[in-house]
Amino acid sequence: MLRATIIPAGVAASLVLVPLPGAVAAPSADAVISEVYGGGGNSGATLKNDFIELANKGGAAFGLTGWSVQYISASPGPTSTWSVTPLTGSIAPGGRFLVAESAGTGGTVELPAPDATGTLALSGTAGTVALVQGTTALTCKTAADCAADPKVRDLVGFGTAVVREGSGPAAGASNTASVARAADLADTDDNAADLKAGDPTPTNSKGDTTGGPTTPPNPTEPGSVRIHDIQGNTRISPKAGQTIQGIPGVVTGVRTYGSKGFWIQDTNPDADPATSEGVFVYTGNATPTVKAGDAVLVTAKVSEYYPNQAGGSQSVTELTNPLVTVVSSGNPVPAPVVLNDDSIPEAYTADAAGGTIEANTLKPGSYALDLFESLEGMNVQVKNVRVVQATDQYHELWVEARRQDEKSKRGGAIYLGYDRPNSGRLMVQALAPEAEKPFPLANVGDRLQGVTSGPLDYNQFGGYTLVASTLGALQDNGLQREVTKEAAAGELSIATYNVENLDPSDPDSKFGELAKGVVTNLRSPDIVTLEEIQDNNGATNDGTVDAGATVAKFIAAIKAAGGPAYEWRSINPENNKDGGEPGGNIRQVFLFNPQRVSFTDIAGGGATTAVDVTGKESTTALTASPGRIDPGNEAWNTSRKPLVGQFSFKGKKVFVIANHFNSKGGDQGIDSRFQAPTRSSEVQRVKQAGIEQAFVAKLLAADPQAKVVSLGDFNDYQFSPALTALTKDCVLRDLVNELPEKQRYSYVYQGNSQVLDHILVSPGLTHAKYDVVHINSEFANQASDHDPQVVRVKP
């Protein structure tokens, strides 16, 4: 579990947002956040733990059951999430309530006995803490949005926090200083004025201000509690929150980067296959001094760490704030558990009707997720495995440990339904940093020959992860980038390509590779719809919306690659209204070859103007070209609006709709602790699909033979409710369903080759030759994270 922010391929890196003036909500008359300290256990700190202290200014007890304290980083980006500590109990009138959070490896003084305990790892210098009615993670990422959220009772931004109250964040927080309210607990909703830096003064509900004064000595004798007792037979440790003395084990792996720490495993296992014999010992910022083969005794607190609690991730049972004694060295590491067709169940997980599976007794013989959880922290092994997701920029790849899972035509793991998740997928990470041991640069279909082994971990973006101390040898499968067929005489070729946040500041090499894909691999289609074209200064958030420079640079790159002199049409969005990277203003763009096809310009289109249909049969036309479909509808909030254009090919009208539906951000993962996982973003895509389906139906009502091609990045699967809504009443047919199953993919995520991009056609286009052109998603070197698609039609 890497606590450093790991961003998967295809997801934009977090941005540093420009601080805005803080919004002001009504000051609290009762419960407030009275003190925040994030330096616990850091260099120079006396206290071992971070903490959040609450206070009650009111005249009656303030109930906290069902409430939470939540934390987010100082400059939240697109992938940032709030972390949550649920609360119970109450704050007496005039009283305090102490919430202990994550411990570091330093410090000598315990907090007073806390009233609640969490695992939030606060920054010592900058961040935001909120007191929230409810335990669902907040989604706001600006001061104004959080102030407008009625669930937020109080909020403290400190350091350089973007999310704060009033004129600025509280100043002065450090490894040795907290930020705290004055004795009168004044709350003017201005963090800079209300909270001042000083020595940490944690106070619990009993009024205690001190805890255990010194660090106890390192353990010398094994205690009575073993690792399998700590892990238990569910996903949550029965010992969570307890400090356990003298836990014995042998070190199986040491991580010296990211989440520093080491894994230990008991050499005397119990007889229960549901209880893991391994566990991660988290050392925080301190580099571990142990090595593989050391027999150790560990005294530590048992914690449950959620890499992405808001996203529904599983937790990792770990030992924190450890005291370690090395008993002996050079011991054999416990033999790895072999993961293969025989050991990994086909069924992925039990269904809890959307509820949590954390309390379920593990059934490792029945469910893959239960098997992996039962091996959490243990030494495991795969052998001669196929790569199903290419090496990414973070030196990670995915393998398929269960050969019976669905195989794509080119060697990936094909994802064909919510009930067919491919249970044998595992991420592989290197145990050692890249500088110490190069990581293989693998494409889909390559193999790791021989043994790959190491501790089994879990992380935010990858789920269960084999942290490899031993890596198999790379066997190159010779995967080649595809080239589509030439369009025949009389065929109109139309393609779609998500060019992944393209803007003029991107290197010329990216423009060149994308252009090569258009010219060589797609064979210079007559029409290309582009998604994720950013404005002229990319992610600079200064109100710029025009993308003329971006498109001109791309057209020039296409021409330099031997392609046609494309012309283009688009509509600038309203600033920051279409989602995506803040400031980037992504939009869809039509490129077209004027030597082959003409664009019918019809005035009247705009960012907020809805296009309509006029005429009947041969006179059927758009009221604006280019136009946007119902852009004012709430279904398109913070999402791209469909761009529709009217073209003419050999005297025949063709209506083309360029799409980029809302992303899957906020959905619970396939490996979530909630099963079945909630796909919250799906609701909006279903609404979007319904609006577009109605528009196409209106076109077909005017002219049943209208030639309509709808294409782009729909951010959903061919079997999803959104695509079902889009194809309702057969107004459109999804061409990916006409491919053999093994070829149905355009994107690879968490080892699953899946469909996000589609081309759909109306019934009047009976001649449609469709191709997904695999040039990106399966390769370690990518121009984009999406594969482009093309269809050849005869209008």
Side-chain angles (χ1 to χ4, degrees):
M1 79 251 107
L2 294 182
R3 280 177 173 76
T5 301
I6 302 298
I7 306 174
V11 178
S14 298
L15 303 179
V16 176
L17 302 181
V18 177
L20 299 175
V24 177
S28 176
D30 38 43
V32 293
I33 299 168
S34 52
E35 188 171 1
V36 175
Y37 176 60
N42 292 354
S43 175
T46 300
L47 292 172
K48 294 181 178 182
N49 287 72
D50 300 342
F51 70 84
I52 300 165
E53 182 191 280
L54 307 178
N56 181 6
K57 302 193 299 178
F62 187 91
L64 290 172
T65 300
W67 287 65
S68 63
V69 287
Q70 303 193 20
Y71 172 76
I72 198 167
S73 60
S75 299
T79 60
S80 302
T81 55
W82 288 83
S83 299
V84 180
T85 297
L87 303 176
T88 58
S90 63
I91 317 174
R96 306 292 171 120
F97 187 95
L98 183 63
V99 185
E101 298 293 358
S102 178
T105 57
T108 58
V109 176
E110 300 280 358
L111 294 174
D115 302 297
T117 301
T119 58
L120 306 183
L122 310 185
S123 166
T125 57
T128 303
V129 172
L131 175 61
V132 180
Q133 186 173 21
T135 57
T136 300
L138 297 172
T139 59
C140 58
K141 296 182 184 179
T142 68
D145 287 347
C146 289
D149 191 330
K151 300 187 295 296
V152 177
R153 187 55 159 261
D154 192 24
L155 185 145
V156 170
F158 58 100
T160 58
V162 170
V163 181
R164 80 286 179 122
E165 292 179 347
S167 62
S174 70
N175 287 353
T176 57
S178 67
V179 292
R181 296 184 190 275
D184 62 0
L185 299 175
D187 179 20
T188 66
D189 273 358
D190 187 339
N191 292 157
D194 292 343
L195 294 102
K196 304 300 180 183
D199 293 335
T201 57
T203 305
N204 65 14
S205 59
K206 296 179 180 179
D208 298 332
T209 58
T210 59
T214 60
T215 300
N218 286 8
T220 57
E221 297 291 335
S224 60
V225 177
R226 297 288 182 141
I227 293 173
H228 47 251
D229 300 320
I230 293 168
Q231 288 282 9
N233 62 3
T234 72
R235 285 173 165 78
I236 301 298
S237 170
K239 307 292 185 182
Q242 300 180 27
T243 296
I244 308 297
Q245 304 289 326
I247 306 161
V250 171
V251 177
T252 59
V254 180
R255 190 182 345 241
T256 58
Y257 70 103
S259 285
K260 294 179 181 178
F262 57 94
W263 288 268
I264 60 174
Q265 187 166 330
D266 199 327
T267 56
N268 295 303
D270 67 3
D272 188 351
T275 57
S276 173
E277 302 295 340
V279 70
F280 184 69
V281 183
Y282 176 55
T283 60
N285 295 325
T287 300
T289 57
V290 299
K291 58 185 180 298
D294 284 352
V296 296
L297 298 174
V298 179
T299 294
K301 183 178 180 180
V302 180
S303 299
E304 292 291 338
Y305 170 61
Y306 290 87
N308 182 5
Q309 188 174 50
S313 74
Q314 308 272 350
S315 67
V316 180
T317 303
E318 60 182 23
L319 304 178
T320 61
N321 201 22
L323 301 170
V324 182
T325 300
V326 177
V327 178
S328 64
S329 298
N331 300 286
V333 171
V337 176
V338 177
L339 296 174
N340 58 20
D341 289 359
D342 295 329
S343 60
I344 302 175
E346 178 180 3
Y348 195 56
T349 184
D351 189 344
T356 179
I357 58 174
E358 287 185 310
N360 292 6
T361 300
L362 298 175
K363 297 180 179 180
S366 300
Y367 302 112
L369 280 185
D370 285 13
L371 172 69
F372 297 147
E373 176 65 20
S374 76
L375 300 173
E376 178 189 87
M378 291 179 63
N379 201 19
V380 299
Q381 168 190 309
V382 294
K383 187 175 181 180
N384 301 335
V385 286
R386 189 176 80 253
V387 175
V388 293
Q389 183 165 334
T391 304
D392 64 23
Q393 59 185 311
Y394 307 105
H395 311 300
E396 303 164 338
L397 56 80
W398 285 75
V399 299
E400 184 55 78
R402 188 177 180 278
R403 291 172 296 176
Q404 296 172 355
D405 283 345
E406 304 280 1
K407 186 176 180 181
S408 76
K409 181 182 178 182
R410 287 158 58 89
I414 196 81
Y415 185 49
L416 297 173
Y418 297 122
D419 59 344
R420 300 165 72 176
N422 294 309
S423 63
R425 297 167 297 106
L426 282 175
M427 178 186 274
V428 175
Q429 292 176 341
L431 182 58
E434 171 71 7
E436 294 180 14
K437 188 174 184 180
F439 195 76
L441 195 67
N443 296 326
V444 167
D446 292 349
R447 301 187 74 84
L448 294 183
Q449 288 295 107
V451 170
T452 297
S453 64
L456 187 65
D457 196 16
Y458 182 91
N459 76 75
Q460 176 177 358
F461 294 110
Y464 288 96
T465 303
L466 195 165
V467 187
S469 54
T470 301
L471 271 166
L474 179 65
Q475 178 181 303
D476 189 343
N477 190 44
L479 191 71
Q480 298 296 310
R481 300 181 200 270
E482 292 185 334
V483 176
T484 197
K485 293 181 179 179
E486 290 270 17
E491 287 184 332
L492 172 68
S493 57
I494 308 174
T496 177
Y497 201 171
N498 182 319
V499 292
E500 196 178 0
N501 289 321
L502 189 67
D503 76 80
S505 69
D506 285 327
D508 290 346
S509 58
K510 178 174 180 178
F511 278 88
E513 284 300 310
L514 290 168
K516 180 182 175 183
V518 171
V519 175
T520 301
N521 303 92
L522 293 175
R523 295 187 183 271
S524 300
D526 300 318
I527 301 170
V528 184
T529 70
L530 302 174
E531 299 86 54
E532 294 197 16
I533 289 287
Q534 291 199 343
D535 62 36
N536 291 338
N537 60 13
T540 301
N541 197 359
D542 63 357
T544 298
V545 294
D546 188 72
T550 309
V551 181
K553 186 172 180 178
F554 191 32
I555 289 174
I558 290 172
K559 194 169 183 180
Y566 281 113
E567 294 184 9
W568 67 286
R569 298 290 188 275
S570 187
I571 292 176
N572 288 335
E574 293 183 278
N575 186 45
N576 285 334
K577 290 294 184 71
D578 280 17
E581 196 174 25
N585 289 310
I586 54 175
R587 83 289 310 277
Q588 301 92 275
V589 169
F590 291 124
L591 301 185
F592 62 96
N593 181 356
Q595 301 302 312
R596 292 270 302 162
V597 64
S598 62
F599 190 89
T600 305
D601 288 294
I602 303 172
T608 60
T609 304
V611 66
D612 205 347
V613 178
T614 185
K616 286 287 186 181
E617 297 181 349
S618 63
T619 65
T620 299
L622 302 175
T623 58
S625 176
R628 300 179 104 192
I629 298 175
D630 199 5
N633 194 295
E634 57 88 22
W636 306 110
N637 287 350
T638 64
S639 181
R640 283 67 55 189
K641 289 71 176 170
L643 182 72
V644 58
Q646 185 172 317
F647 293 84
S648 179
F649 178 71
K650 297 186 180 298
K652 296 183 179 179
K653 292 177 190 174
V654 179
F655 301 97
V656 180
I657 306 172
N659 299 277
H660 190 184
F661 281 15
N662 76 298
S663 77
K664 290 182 173 292
D667 288 6
Q668 293 170 351
I670 193 173
D671 56 356
S672 170
R673 67 184 183 275
F674 301 103
Q675 293 293 334
T678 297
R679 302 185 295 273
S680 56
S681 69
E682 185 177 87
V683 175
Q684 186 175 1
R685 282 192 300 281
V686 170
K687 291 179 181 178
Q688 292 173 344
I691 291 168
E692 183 164 322
Q693 190 272 352
F695 180 82
V696 175
K698 192 170 187 179
L699 261 176
L700 295 179
D703 179 9
Q705 296 303 311
K707 310 302 189 289
V708 183
V709 179
S710 177
L711 70 174
D713 178 2
F714 291 87
N715 269 316
D716 223 332
Y717 315 118
Q718 69 275 26
F719 47 80
S720 68
L723 270 295
T724 299
L726 191 58
T727 56
K728 181 183 176 183
D729 298 331
C730 300
V731 300
L732 293 167
R733 75 180 198 271
D734 190 355
L735 296 177
V736 75
N737 293 317
E738 297 175 16
L739 292 177
E741 283 191 342
K742 293 180 181 293
Q743 298 179 32
R744 297 177 188 173
Y745 62 96
S746 63
Y747 188 85
V748 182
Y749 182 65
Q750 289 195 352
N752 269 330
S753 294
Q754 55 196 247
V755 176
L756 293 183
D757 310 88
H758 301 257
I759 298 181
L760 304 97
V761 298
S762 61
L765 288 168
T766 57
H767 175 101
K769 297 178 180 177
Y770 167 71
D771 190 13
V772 181
V773 187
H774 301 299
I775 60 175
N776 289 317
S777 68
E778 300 168 306
F779 294 89
N781 294 316
Q782 303 177 341
S784 168
D785 50 346
H786 290 252
D787 287 328
Q789 305 184 359
V790 63
V791 65
R792 305 188 305 278
V793 298
K794 285 186 177 180

